[in-house]
Amino acid sequence: MGEKLVIFDTTLRDGEQSPGASMTREEKVRIAKALERLRVDVIEAGFPIASIGDFEAVKAVAEAVKDSTVCGLARALDQDIDRAAEALHGAAAARIHTFIATSPIHMQEKLHMSPEQVLEAAVRAVKRARQYTDDVEFSPEDAGRSDIEFLCRVLEQVIDAGAKTVNIADTVGYSLPYRFGALIQDLRERVPNADKAVFSVHCHNDLGLAVANSLAAVLHGARQVECTINGLGERAGNAALEEIVMAVRTRQDAFPCNVTVDTTQIVPCSRLVSNITGFPVQPNKAIVGANAFAHESGIHQDGVLKSRETYEIMSAEDVGWGANRMVLGKLSGRNAFRTRLNELGVTFNSEEALNETFSRFKALADKKRDIYDEDLQALVTETNLATENERYRLASLKVCSETGETPTATVVLSADGVEKTGVAKGSGPVDAAYRAIESIVASGCELQLYSVSNITSGTDAQGEVTVRLKKNGRIVNGQGADTDIVIASAKAYVHALNKIASPVARTHPQV
Ligand code: KIV
Ligand code: ZN
């Protein structure tokens, strides 16, 4: 297999920096357990100093995950590093990832620090982190736009100070593959102690080049790639894990290294991340998009039937398509239900919480014969949503939709414990339902996105709806699932309204 390429997943940290993608502690643990099943090497669980919620989430992931290293992000500040160490205390294997910007524009305009001060802070941060763990990673933020002489000095000194991984970040997605590859090679040749650390890359997708830049870096000696499931992340996102992994695995003729992830877990993990964050996966997305293995043209279909390799370079099964086993049905008992959810990383704090989810499961099983893992995940997401800060709750919904008539919706919403009814007409049943809800809440939110997808296949499948709302510059995503897509749509809207109504106080690592 040649050398190992370390897969560092940052869905729970950089992925969470996507507008509206914030996750609760329970959601992070579920995704972390899925990443562990995927056998990623490192899971960056969050930025512990950002808020109490972030701290608790990193702590919970550190305690839940046994087979992957759990990492916490810290700026090059003593208090950040101490907080990260505290959150990671219970981890079987812990990494502290500290960073500071090294590009002229970031040092002058954002940090107001001289290069010498930045260098000193970087070394100090790495030394402090080493007091807690041997596994310390340092990132020069905006390395893609940094001066190479300065970058070499910083890297040499942080490696001397004990950094075991140095992560070259293309923070603003400005690099081009041939130049980024050359940069990695130059750094490895010019930094005298380069052999004492693993070179890593962290690429953003502003020019659509995050994966290409990461792979160019791997060809020039990088042995860790930082990436996210579905390419989730700040702005245009990060390098997509599934694309990096499958490119390296499929093109072993080109890459001198390989990954040890279990690729059959890619699709289940992708669906879980999409379900929890409310970021739908575009159908033509490589590897995990619904059409990634669909052959439309007759010539292709004919070729694939004769020999799969004529038009397919990977098999759908290898990346986990079709892995959604039927796990439970109408006759399944509480024990089977609890056991399967435990296997999926879901635990219940109380018998009451188990009962609540189980009764939702029974209601779903009445409507839908076969219940798959994806259905269970959506069910848990929904139960968690219902127990979060719930200012609004959908009590009932009735829609009349008939050919030639304008649809009307009647919604009963519990708002701060008081039931209110709203009636409205709309261009379609969903539009009518949203207008009826707005006639009660008058939220003043702007609807930025509405999307429906099916959780599993078949006409009895649950529809999963995502809505994105914006108010006063804040963006939230809401999700809802139901076999009736108008109800799923109303649930998603109410979920987003609840999120908008709950206050947040959180530090952004790069601001
Ligand atoms: O994009 C970036 O520079 C980062 C760092 C914290 C590594 O996310
Ligand atoms: Zn980033």
Side-chain angles (χ1 to χ4, degrees), residues 31-51:
I31 293 180
K33 293 299 284 179
L35 292 169
E36 190 183 28
R37 284 194 293 281
L38 182 62
R39 297 217 297 267
V40 304
D41 301 288
V42 186
I43 298 172
E44 187 164 53
F47 176 44
I49 197 97
S51 69

Side-chain angles (χ1 to χ4, degrees), residues 115-150:
E116 291 313 311
Q117 288 171 319
V118 164
L119 181 58
E120 197 185 312
V123 170
R124 180 189 165 93
V126 169
K127 286 191 176 153
R128 192 168 185 102
R130 277 298 304 260
Q131 290 172 5
Y132 295 108
T133 171
D134 287 347
D135 192 351
V136 173
E137 170 171 333
F138 173 78
S139 294
E141 187 193 359
D142 204 16
R145 293 189 299 170
S146 299
D147 169 60
I148 184 143
E149 304 291 336
F150 181 55

Side-chain angles (χ1 to χ4, degrees), residues 38 229-230 241-243 245-246 261-271 287-288 318-320:
L38 182 62
I229 299 289
N230 301 336
L241 178 145
E242 58 279 5
E243 295 177 23
V245 163
M246 290 317 290
V261 302
D262 175 358
T263 59
T264 63
Q265 293 298 318
I266 287 179
V267 168
C269 204
S270 156
R271 303 200 90 153
I287 323 288
V288 292
D318 278 358
V319 298

Side-chain angles (χ1 to χ4, degrees), residues 143-144 148 151 168 175 178-188:
I148 184 143
L151 212 46
I168 311 307
S175 299
Y178 78 100
R179 291 218 195 155
F180 198 60
L183 172 67
I184 301 303
Q185 180 153 345
D186 265 8
L187 291 172
R188 288 181 54 244

